[in-house]
Each structure stands twice: as structure tokens, then as C-alpha cells.
Amino acid sequence: MKLHAKYRNKKQGHKTTNPIIFSVYIGYFAGILWGGVKLLEFAMKFTEVVPGFLLEPFFRHSFLIAWQGLALGYASFVGLSVLAAAIYGMFLRKLKGPWPGIGYGLAWWCVLYLLVGPLTEMVPAITQLDLNSFVTDLCLFMVWGLFIGFSIAMEFTEERIREPGGRAKTPALK
């Protein structure tokens, strides 16, 4: 029955969105937007964690704070965003609302700042991180996850119905 409904929708001209391609697209723009915010928060000294923290095991810290390292760090954040969005699109795209995305960003922060980061020396241990860096990067990852999760959820769930002008399935008024 479900297979027939999908076939009928395609026959009627409805296009289905490829989850991976759409997720990569969302991830790219999430990386551009929130990677820029990461650069800005580092430039304004809200955090000690360099934008290229993902590359810290592979490059010297002195390189990562130079303009070339900042640009490479920005690109690495875009790459992380594409990967994270693709994973979200594959496994979590049917979750509704903003909270799964916020939790997803929080999970990425925990993996990078509590598990992998201190082991690979990408980021200092949580006990050595100052409060401003802790709060700033935690909030950044939460809104980054919100952007990724809710953008994908809007495409693959019925969240659009709740938006003004959304495609609601309401009976016609007589």
C-alpha cells in the first residue's frame, strides 16, 4: 500500500526530496553560517578554542591562528557541518520540532569537547577551559544543531503545516 502511494504521488507530479542531497545542502549552509559565527566569536575573544580546532592534531597551533589557518579552520567547520547534516538526514530526519536538533548539537559538542577533543588535543580538557569558551562554544553547537535539525525536519515532516502559509490539508470552506 505504501509503495503504491509513493508511486501515485510521483505519477501526480509530486517530487520527493533526496534526503542525502538535501542534508548535504543544509550542512553546507550551516557550516558557512555557523563557521562564520565561530570565526567571529574567536576574533572577539569570546572563546580560546580556535576555529580550526578540528585540525589541531594535524597542524601547529601557530599556523591555525594565522589567516591561512583560520581559513582552513573555517573550511573544516563546513566539512564537519556537511558530515553532521548527512548523518542527521540519514537517521533522524523524521524527528519533529526543534528539540532533537538542539540535542544533536549538544551531542556533537559532548563528543568533540568531552571525548575526542581532549584525547587528540583538539581542545583543552573541560577543566582547563575557561567559562566564556565553555558557554560560547556550547551555545554555538546547540544553535548549529538546531539549524541543521529543524531545517531537515521542516522538509521531511509535516512541520510546514504549522507555519503561516504552509501546505495545510484542510477541507475547503463552503
Side-chain angles (χ1 to χ4, degrees), residues 81-103:
S81 299
V82 167
L83 173 69
I87 292 170
Y88 194 95
M90 283 190 290
F91 301 110
L92 305 171
R93 70 179 175 265
K94 295 291 184 177
L95 298 178
K96 295 180 180 181
W99 292 107
I102 292 170

Side-chain angles (χ1 to χ4, degrees), residues 139-150:
C139 291
L140 175 78
F141 272 86
M142 288 171 65
V143 294
W144 171 78
L146 172 66
F147 182 89
I148 290 172
F150 202 59

Side-chain angles (χ1 to χ4, degrees), residues 2 8 16 19 36-37 66 69 71 73 100 106 117 119 142 170:
K2 283 187 175 186
R8 187 182 49 179
T16 56
V37 171
L106 184 61
L119 291 175
M142 288 171 65
T170 56

Side-chain angles (χ1 to χ4, degrees), residues 96-161:
K96 295 180 180 181
W99 292 107
I102 292 170
Y104 189 67
L106 184 61
W108 272 99
W109 182 87
C110 288
V111 166
L112 293 174
Y113 282 71
L114 299 177
L115 297 175
V116 177
L119 291 175
T120 60
E121 297 180 1
M122 282 194 282
V123 295
I126 199 74
T127 56
Q128 298 171 347
L129 206 59
D130 68 328
L131 185 61
N132 286 339
S133 296
F134 177 86
V135 171
T136 301
D137 288 340
L138 178 66
C139 291
L140 175 78
F141 272 86
M142 288 171 65
V143 294
W144 171 78
L146 172 66
F147 182 89
I148 290 172
F150 202 59
S151 297
I152 293 172
M154 289 290 284
E155 182 66 25
F156 295 105
T157 64
E158 295 296 322
E159 289 292 320
R160 282 188 254 172
I161 292 173

Side-chain angles (χ1 to χ4, degrees), residues 3-67:
L3 187 59
H4 177 68
K6 282 185 178 181
Y7 177 72
R8 187 182 49 179
N9 284 341
K10 286 182 182 178
K11 288 280 271 186
Q12 292 175 352
H14 297 293
K15 293 182 181 180
T16 56
T17 304
N18 183 322
I20 302 301
I21 292 173
F22 183 79
S23 299
V24 166
Y25 179 76
I26 292 296
Y28 176 75
F29 285 104
I32 295 292
L33 177 66
W34 299 108
V37 171
K38 178 71 178 151
L39 277 172
L40 188 63
E41 74 181 22
F42 181 73
M44 296 179 74
K45 308 230 184 285
F46 289 143
T47 183
E48 298 173 344
V49 180
V50 296
F53 71 96
L54 297 167
L55 303 172
E56 195 82 46
F58 309 108
F59 293 96
R60 294 187 179 190
H61 187 77
S62 58
F63 171 74
L64 292 176
I65 58 175
W67 73 268

